[in-house]
Amino acid sequence: EPEVTQTPSHQVTQMGQEVILRCVPISNHLYFYWYRQILGQKVEFLVSFYNNEISEKSEIFDDQFSVERPDGSNFTLKIRSTKLEDSAMYFCASNQGGGAWNTEAFFGQGTRLTVV
Amino acid sequence: LAKTTQPISMDSYEGQEVNITCSHNNIATNDYITWYQQFPSQGPRFIIQGYKTKVTNEVASLFIPADRKSSTLSLPRVSLSDTAVYYCLVGALASGGSYIPTFGRGTSLIVHP
């Protein structure tokens, strides 16, 4: 079964540093997403990406964050000047698209980001 | 997006059927109802989706009454491995044209031996 893969599985970084989280969505999918989940809290939407541009973003996704699809397979989330409160699980997801009926998004296993 | 309300937690025992009900009173005409499952430290996983009446797959059944203001996820004969958080999602395409799964708090199901 095709799957979304994320690397690394765990990243530790010092406060103020930049991190790049990487994702390989399912190959024929058209919509890509990043979510985060702070420990013990709900899964929060950050951004969606379609046709090589951001299609939606939440209020969490401010200038500290950026996304990129540098080639035909990778989808990255960059977090600049990391803060302690950025510590969370970050999930990448993809959806095949095709209409309102297709609500099945495939999530990766996540990257646990720890800012120290 | 329609607001959803579901129980915070539920307990069950192995072999029992579990029904988790979600209310979504302001569901829109073109909204689909989707359920996801999440194990600790893993990403959410799609379980089932429906629009109206009943949908069944190899994992679960989804019951949706005619008014669509609620839905019930039914897990037959649960096992310990079904212990997870279950999310009810209601929504369709966002304004930008993409579908955005939007998660609430979910229902934490604990299955006991």
Side-chain angles (χ1 to χ4, degrees), chain A:
Chain A
E1 181 178 299
E3 60 180 14
V4 174
T5 57
Q6 291 185 242
T7 54
S9 56
H10 191 187
Q11 172 107 35
V12 180
T13 190
Q14 290 207 325
M15 196 166 48
Q17 296 296 303
E18 174 182 286
V19 295
I20 297 177
L21 309 183
R22 302 179 191 279
C23 169
V24 178
I26 295 172
S27 62
N28 64 341
H29 284 191
L30 301 178
Y31 295 92
F32 314 116
Y33 315 87
W34 282 102
Y35 288 79
R36 79 173 184 190
Q37 186 173 32
I38 296 170
L39 186 64
Q41 298 189 24
K42 65 180 184 179
V43 179
E44 299 176 291
F45 167 73
L46 294 178
V47 66
S48 64
F49 195 86
Y50 170 72
N51 200 26
N52 285 319
E53 61 183 20
I54 291 174
S55 53
E56 303 282 344
K57 61 182 180 179
S58 71
E59 57 193 25
I60 301 170
F61 193 88
D62 58 21
D63 292 343
Q64 187 192 4
F65 297 89
S66 62
V67 290
E68 195 177 36
R69 188 158 163 81
D71 54 41
S73 60
N74 292 286
F75 180 49
T76 62
L77 174 69
K78 182 187 291 185
I79 309 174
R80 289 177 281 273
S81 299
T82 50
K83 301 172 282 201
L84 295 177
E85 53 265 40
D86 294 326
S87 295
M89 280 287 277
Y90 288 81
F91 295 108
C92 173
S94 67
N95 174 284
Q96 191 174 32
W101 61 270
N102 190 353
T103 60
E104 182 174 6
F106 291 78
F107 284 76
Q109 290 292 85
T111 293
R112 180 172 298 284
L113 176 65
T114 303
V115 182
V116 296

